[in-house]
Amino acid sequence: MWTFRTFPKSYHSVFRLREDAEKFILTDNLEIHFLELPKLGFEHQKTSDLLVKWLLFLKAESETKLEELAMSEPTIRKAINVLEFLSQDKEARKLYEMREMALKDELNMIEGAKAEGRTEGERQKATEVAKNLLTMDMTVEVVAKATGLSTEEIEKLKQQLH
Protein backbone atom coordinates (compact mmCIF):
# COMPACT_ATOMS: atom_id res chain seq x y z
CA MET A 1 0.00 0.00 0.00
CA TRP A 2 1.20 3.46 -0.88
CA THR A 3 1.48 6.03 1.82
CA PHE A 4 1.83 9.73 1.19
CA ARG A 5 2.60 12.35 3.72
CA THR A 6 -0.14 14.88 4.02
CA PHE A 7 0.50 18.46 3.12
CA PRO A 8 0.16 21.39 5.49
CA LYS A 9 -3.02 23.44 5.78
CA SER A 10 -4.89 23.26 2.49
CA TYR A 11 -7.09 20.44 1.25
CA HIS A 12 -5.84 21.14 -2.29
CA SER A 13 -2.10 21.11 -3.07
CA VAL A 14 -0.74 21.66 -6.59
CA PHE A 15 2.71 20.57 -7.73
CA ARG A 16 4.56 21.29 -10.96
CA LEU A 17 7.65 19.70 -12.49
CA ARG A 18 10.70 21.85 -11.82
CA GLU A 19 14.34 21.48 -12.86
CA ASP A 20 16.42 21.09 -9.68
CA ALA A 21 19.55 23.07 -10.53
CA GLU A 22 18.13 25.99 -12.52
CA LYS A 23 14.73 26.01 -10.73
CA PHE A 24 12.68 26.56 -13.91
CA ILE A 25 9.27 24.95 -14.40
CA LEU A 26 9.29 22.39 -17.20
CA THR A 27 5.79 23.13 -18.47
CA ASP A 28 2.61 24.89 -17.45
CA ASN A 29 0.63 22.01 -18.98
CA LEU A 30 1.43 19.40 -16.33
CA GLU A 31 0.38 19.63 -12.72
CA ILE A 32 -0.25 17.10 -9.99
CA HIS A 33 -3.17 17.89 -7.70
CA PHE A 34 -3.58 16.31 -4.28
CA LEU A 35 -7.08 16.60 -2.84
CA GLU A 36 -7.37 15.65 0.82
CA LEU A 37 -10.99 15.05 1.75
CA PRO A 38 -10.36 14.88 5.52
CA LYS A 39 -9.20 18.51 5.44
CA LEU A 40 -12.51 19.79 4.09
CA GLY A 41 -14.12 21.41 7.07
CA PHE A 42 -17.26 23.25 8.03
CA GLU A 43 -15.88 26.50 6.60
CA HIS A 44 -16.05 24.98 3.10
CA GLN A 45 -19.71 23.98 3.31
CA LYS A 46 -21.17 27.22 1.92
CA THR A 47 -18.92 27.81 -1.07
CA SER A 48 -19.58 28.43 -4.74
CA ASP A 49 -16.31 26.72 -5.79
CA LEU A 50 -17.23 23.81 -8.06
CA LEU A 51 -14.20 21.74 -7.04
CA VAL A 52 -15.16 22.02 -3.37
CA LYS A 53 -18.73 21.03 -4.20
CA TRP A 54 -17.53 17.87 -5.95
CA LEU A 55 -15.22 17.04 -3.07
CA LEU A 56 -18.10 17.50 -0.64
CA PHE A 57 -20.15 15.20 -2.89
CA LEU A 58 -17.46 12.52 -2.58
CA LYS A 59 -17.26 13.07 1.17
CA ALA A 60 -21.01 13.44 1.78
CA GLU A 61 -21.90 12.16 5.20
CA SER A 62 -25.67 12.27 4.85
CA GLU A 63 -28.52 12.31 2.36
CA THR A 64 -29.32 15.86 3.49
CA LYS A 65 -25.88 17.14 2.51
CA LEU A 66 -26.11 15.34 -0.83
CA GLU A 67 -29.49 16.94 -1.47
CA GLU A 68 -28.12 20.41 -0.62
CA LEU A 69 -25.29 19.92 -3.11
CA ALA A 70 -27.70 18.63 -5.75
CA MET A 71 -29.87 21.72 -5.34
CA SER A 72 -26.90 24.04 -5.86
CA GLU A 73 -25.26 22.26 -8.80
CA PRO A 74 -27.06 20.57 -11.75
CA THR A 75 -24.10 18.33 -12.63
CA ILE A 76 -24.04 16.95 -9.10
CA ARG A 77 -27.81 16.34 -9.36
CA LYS A 78 -27.13 14.32 -12.51
CA ALA A 79 -24.38 12.33 -10.76
CA ILE A 80 -26.68 11.56 -7.85
CA ASN A 81 -29.42 10.41 -10.24
CA VAL A 82 -26.99 8.08 -12.02
CA LEU A 83 -25.77 6.68 -8.69
CA GLU A 84 -29.32 6.07 -7.51
CA PHE A 85 -30.17 4.40 -10.80
CA LEU A 86 -27.13 2.16 -10.69
CA SER A 87 -27.73 1.11 -7.14
CA GLN A 88 -31.28 -0.07 -7.84
CA ASP A 89 -30.51 -3.58 -9.04
CA LYS A 90 -28.19 -5.75 -11.11
CA GLU A 91 -30.37 -5.59 -14.22
CA ALA A 92 -30.42 -1.78 -14.19
CA ARG A 93 -26.63 -1.69 -13.86
CA LYS A 94 -26.28 -4.17 -16.71
CA LEU A 95 -28.54 -2.07 -18.95
CA TYR A 96 -26.61 1.08 -18.06
CA GLU A 97 -23.27 -0.57 -18.82
CA MET A 98 -24.58 -1.90 -22.13
CA ARG A 99 -25.74 1.60 -23.07
CA GLU A 100 -22.36 3.05 -22.12
CA MET A 101 -20.58 0.41 -24.22
CA ALA A 102 -22.86 1.14 -27.18
CA LEU A 103 -22.07 4.85 -26.93
CA LYS A 104 -18.33 4.14 -26.78
CA ASP A 105 -18.60 1.77 -29.75
CA GLU A 106 -20.41 4.45 -31.73
CA LEU A 107 -17.71 7.00 -30.91
CA ASN A 108 -15.01 4.53 -31.95
CA MET A 109 -16.79 3.87 -35.24
CA ILE A 110 -17.03 7.59 -35.93
CA GLU A 111 -13.35 8.10 -35.12
CA GLY A 112 -12.44 5.16 -37.36
CA ALA A 113 -14.50 6.57 -40.21
CA LYS A 114 -12.86 9.97 -39.77
CA ALA A 115 -9.39 8.40 -39.86
CA GLU A 116 -10.33 6.38 -42.94
CA GLY A 117 -11.65 9.54 -44.61
CA ARG A 118 -8.46 11.45 -43.81
CA THR A 119 -6.35 8.63 -45.22
CA GLU A 120 -8.43 8.53 -48.40
CA GLY A 121 -8.25 12.31 -48.72
CA GLU A 122 -4.48 12.27 -48.33
CA ARG A 123 -4.21 9.57 -50.98
CA GLN A 124 -6.40 11.55 -53.39
CA LYS A 125 -4.29 14.66 -52.78
CA ALA A 126 -1.07 12.70 -53.40
CA THR A 127 -2.55 11.36 -56.66
CA GLU A 128 -3.57 14.87 -57.73
CA VAL A 129 -0.10 16.24 -56.97
CA ALA A 130 1.48 13.33 -58.83
CA LYS A 131 -0.63 14.05 -61.93
CA ASN A 132 0.35 17.72 -61.79
CA LEU A 133 4.03 16.86 -61.46
CA LEU A 134 3.81 14.39 -64.35
CA THR A 135 2.26 17.06 -66.59
CA MET A 136 5.28 19.20 -65.71
CA ASP A 137 7.49 16.40 -67.14
CA MET A 138 8.98 15.34 -63.80
CA THR A 139 10.53 11.87 -63.70
CA VAL A 140 8.64 8.97 -62.16
CA GLU A 141 11.24 8.68 -59.40
CA VAL A 142 10.99 12.38 -58.45
CA VAL A 143 7.17 12.24 -58.43
CA ALA A 144 7.23 9.08 -56.28
CA LYS A 145 9.61 10.72 -53.83
CA ALA A 146 7.56 13.93 -53.68
CA THR A 147 4.19 12.22 -53.16
CA GLY A 148 5.02 9.05 -51.27
CA LEU A 149 3.29 6.95 -53.94
CA SER A 150 5.05 3.90 -55.37
CA THR A 151 6.76 4.06 -58.75
CA GLU A 152 4.21 1.49 -60.02
CA GLU A 153 1.35 3.81 -59.06
CA ILE A 154 3.09 6.74 -60.76
CA GLU A 155 3.60 4.66 -63.92
CA LYS A 156 -0.13 3.85 -64.01
CA LEU A 157 -0.99 7.53 -63.59
CA LYS A 158 1.44 8.42 -66.34
CA GLN A 159 -0.23 5.94 -68.69
CA GLN A 160 -3.67 7.36 -67.84
CA LEU A 161 -2.51 10.87 -68.67
CA HIS A 162 -1.21 9.88 -72.18
Side-chain angles (χ1 to χ4, degrees):
M1 171 144 170
W2 293 43
T3 56
F4 292 97
R5 74 182 156 115
T6 58
F7 305 104
K9 298 179 188 170
S10 179
Y11 65 90
H12 183 197
S13 301
V14 181
F15 294 86
R16 292 179 179 84
L17 296 178
R18 176 183 52 81
E19 200 281 330
D20 286 340
E22 299 295 323
K23 308 291 186 220
F24 65 88
I25 294 186
L26 177 65
T27 178
D28 289 333
N29 297 327
L30 180 63
E31 299 175 337
I32 300 172
H33 293 253
F34 287 88
L35 304 165
E36 298 179 80
L37 294 178
K39 289 185 180 176
L40 277 177
F42 181 75
E43 67 276 11
H44 298 106
Q45 300 292 322
K46 301 293 180 195
T47 183
S48 62
D49 183 358
L50 190 56
L51 174 63
V52 171
K53 286 182 179 182
W54 277 104
L55 293 175
L56 289 170
F57 166 76
L58 294 174
K59 185 183 177 181
E61 296 151 355
S62 70
E63 289 291 325
T64 307
K65 289 188 181 188
L66 272 178
E67 201 51 46
E68 287 174 14
L69 288 167
M71 297 294 274
S72 68
E73 186 57 46
T75 55
I76 292 178
R77 161 59 61 209
K78 185 175 180 181
I80 290 170
N81 290 341
V82 169
L83 280 174
E84 287 172 353
F85 175 76
L86 291 176
S87 62
Q88 288 175 1
D89 61 31
K90 269 187 170 181
E91 189 61 31
R93 267 195 311 280
K94 186 176 179 181
L95 289 171
Y96 178 80
E97 289 168 358
M98 287 172 51
R99 169 90 173 120
E100 286 294 306
M101 285 177 51
L103 290 172
K104 287 178 185 176
D105 288 347
E106 186 176 346
L107 280 175
N108 286 336
M109 286 178 13
I110 290 170
E111 288 302 315
K114 284 180 182 178
E116 190 176 314
R118 278 191 295 273
T119 302
E120 182 61 31
E122 289 169 1
R123 181 150 186 77
Q124 287 176 353
K125 185 66 178 174
T127 301
E128 185 181 313
V129 169
K131 287 179 181 177
N132 289 339
L133 292 173
L134 288 170
T135 59
M136 297 168 57
D137 293 325
M138 297 281 185
T139 65
V140 170
E141 291 76 22
V142 169
V143 174
K145 193 171 187 178
T147 62
L149 297 173
S150 70
T151 53
E152 293 81 18
E153 291 171 300
I154 304 299
E155 288 290 350
K156 286 180 186 176
L157 290 173
K158 190 174 182 179
Q159 289 173 2
Q160 290 174 5
L161 289 174
H162 296 293

